[in-house]
Structure formats: structure tokens, C-alpha cells
Amino acid sequence: DQQKAIDGSKDADLTFSHQVSDGSVKAFKAADGGALVTVNLVYNVTAKPKEDGASISVSKDSAVFTGGATTTTGFERTSTESVLLFIPAAGSKTPLTLLAANQGITGAAFK
């Protein structure tokens, strides 16, 4: 939960963003008039030290990209999320259904 991360971060100010990856939305008509929809999202987390000279530790996964485990200047981590949804036909009482989702870190860098 993003709010828990913000509230629990004693050393860093955190910001989060989600954006649809350009050209990633694909829709396929289902036999019942609904649709299967796939989309890729770009998810960014930015961390900046709350105080000058304060050090922020990054996760081992992020350190693979940053080349180090700590920073005093901040960092940004980028992940890609792939999502598959079932969207029911108009007028259906069936709810929108999340069928699959996956997230992986695709980059990280110190500021």
C-alpha cells in the first residue's frame, strides 16, 4: 500500500506514479460480447532524502540497476506491470474481472 510506505518512511520522501505504456492496450472481443483487454503500465517510485546528507538504502533488486546499496541524492525505480482484464458486455451484471497481473523491475537509478 502506497500510503503505508509513505507513512512508514522515516528517511525518504516517496512519490509514486502509474502511466499506461504507449501502444500497449490490446482488446479482443469475447463470444459473449465482452472483451479481454491487456495493458502494460509503467510504475515509478521516486525517493528523496528528507534531510540533506541523509542516506537512503535501496532494495537488492534495485541495487542491481543502481550499482550501489545507498544514496544521499535519491533514486527512482521503474517497474512494468502487465495486466489482463475481462470486461463484460454492456448491460451484463458480471463485474469487471482481473484475470492476471505481473510486475517486474525494469530499471533504477540514483539521482
Side-chain angles (χ1 to χ4, degrees), residues 1-18 43-51 55-59 62 71 73-77 109 111:
D1 176 275
Q2 294 175 357
Q3 191 59 53
K4 282 184 182 177
I6 291 169
D7 294 343
S9 178
K10 62 180 188 219
D11 298 322
D13 290 321
L14 303 173
T15 57
F16 301 88
S17 69
H18 266 103
Y43 175 55
N44 288 310
V45 179
T46 302
K48 295 181 182 176
K50 287 185 176 182
E51 297 180 18
S55 183
I56 302 172
S57 297
V58 301
S59 69
S62 294
T71 177
T73 58
F75 79 99
E76 181 172 274
R77 185 187 74 210
K111 295 267 184 187

Side-chain angles (χ1 to χ4, degrees), residues 76-106:
E76 181 172 274
R77 185 187 74 210
T78 302
S79 299
T80 299
E81 300 171 331
S82 299
V83 178
L84 175 63
L85 304 166
F86 173 71
I87 300 175
S92 172
K93 296 203 185 291
T94 303
L96 181 142
T97 305
L98 173 64
L99 299 173
N102 189 28
Q103 181 187 58
I105 298 173
T106 53

Side-chain angles (χ1 to χ4, degrees), residues 25-49:
V25 179
K26 307 288 186 236
F28 306 91
K29 185 176 178 181
D32 67 355
L36 291 172
V37 178
T38 66
V39 63
N40 289 331
L41 302 167
V42 177
Y43 175 55
N44 288 310
V45 179
T46 302
K48 295 181 182 176

